[in-house]
Amino acid sequence: MVHILGVNLRDSHIARFALTSFYGIGQHTAHKLCARLQIHDKCKMKDLSPYQVTALASFLSSPGTSVTPPRFPLATSDYLPPPPNKSTQELQHDFAALKAARDAKKLKRAKFARVAPTPAPDSLKDLRIESELRRMIRENIGHQRMIGSYVGRRHAMHLPVRGQNTQSNAKTAKKLNQLDRY
C-alpha cells in the first residue's frame, strides 16, 4: 500500500483511478497527472517505481512550485531517422540548428502578427487538494454569508442553494448545510 500525503492508495488499484482518492482530484485531473509524470494508463500502484511515487508526492504537495516538464517536439511526417554512423554531437548540433531556425521563423511570424508568442498555460499549476481545497470552499461560503448574498443566506438557513425544490426533497441540503461544511 502506497501512502502519499495522508492518503492510502491500494496496490491493486490502477494509478489513474487511485489518484481520485484525493479530495479534489477527479478522473480528468488524474489522467493529466499521469501524463505529466509519465505513468502509463494501465499501471497499477504496486508497479510504480520509487522515483514515480516520490515525483507524485512532491508534485501533489506543492504543484505551484513544481517544474513544468519540457515539451519535446513530435516528429513530422517527412522525418527520416539519422544514419547510425553519425555521432551524438553531430545530431545535437543539427537539432540545435533546426530549433534555432524554427524559433526565428516563429518570431518573424509573431512580429508580423503583432502578437507575442505565449506558452500554453499549465492547468495543473493551480491544483488544490485535500485540506487546502476544503479551506478554500469554507472561506467562499463564509464570504457569501458575510456579504449577505442570496447564496449566503440559503447556506445560513440550511436550505438548498442552487434552486432545488424545498417542499419535498431538501433533506440532503438541510443535513449538509447544517454543518459548517467540513
Side-chain angles (χ1 to χ4, degrees), residues 82-98:
N85 59 357
K86 207 168 192 182
S87 71
T88 307
Q89 293 170 343
E90 291 176 35
L91 290 174
Q92 288 176 341
H93 177 48
D94 292 346
F95 179 74
L98 285 173

Side-chain angles (χ1 to χ4, degrees), residues 101-161:
R102 200 175 318 123
D103 290 344
K105 195 175 182 182
K106 279 184 186 178
L107 283 175
K108 190 175 181 182
R109 253 190 264 139
K111 194 183 338 178
F112 288 121
R114 296 182 190 258
V115 177
T118 56
D122 189 6
S123 61
L124 293 175
K125 281 280 187 192
D126 56 350
L127 179 69
R128 291 194 171 111
I129 59 169
E130 293 293 328
S131 60
E132 188 179 355
L133 179 61
R134 287 188 174 103
R135 182 182 46 79
M136 187 181 76
I137 291 172
R138 192 172 50 246
E139 286 174 359
N140 290 344
I141 292 172
H143 176 71
Q144 293 289 339
R145 284 183 174 182
M146 186 186 75
I147 64 173
S149 69
Y150 179 75
V151 172
R153 284 185 282 147
R154 299 293 284 185
H155 271 293
M157 292 187 289
H158 315 303
L159 292 171
V161 175

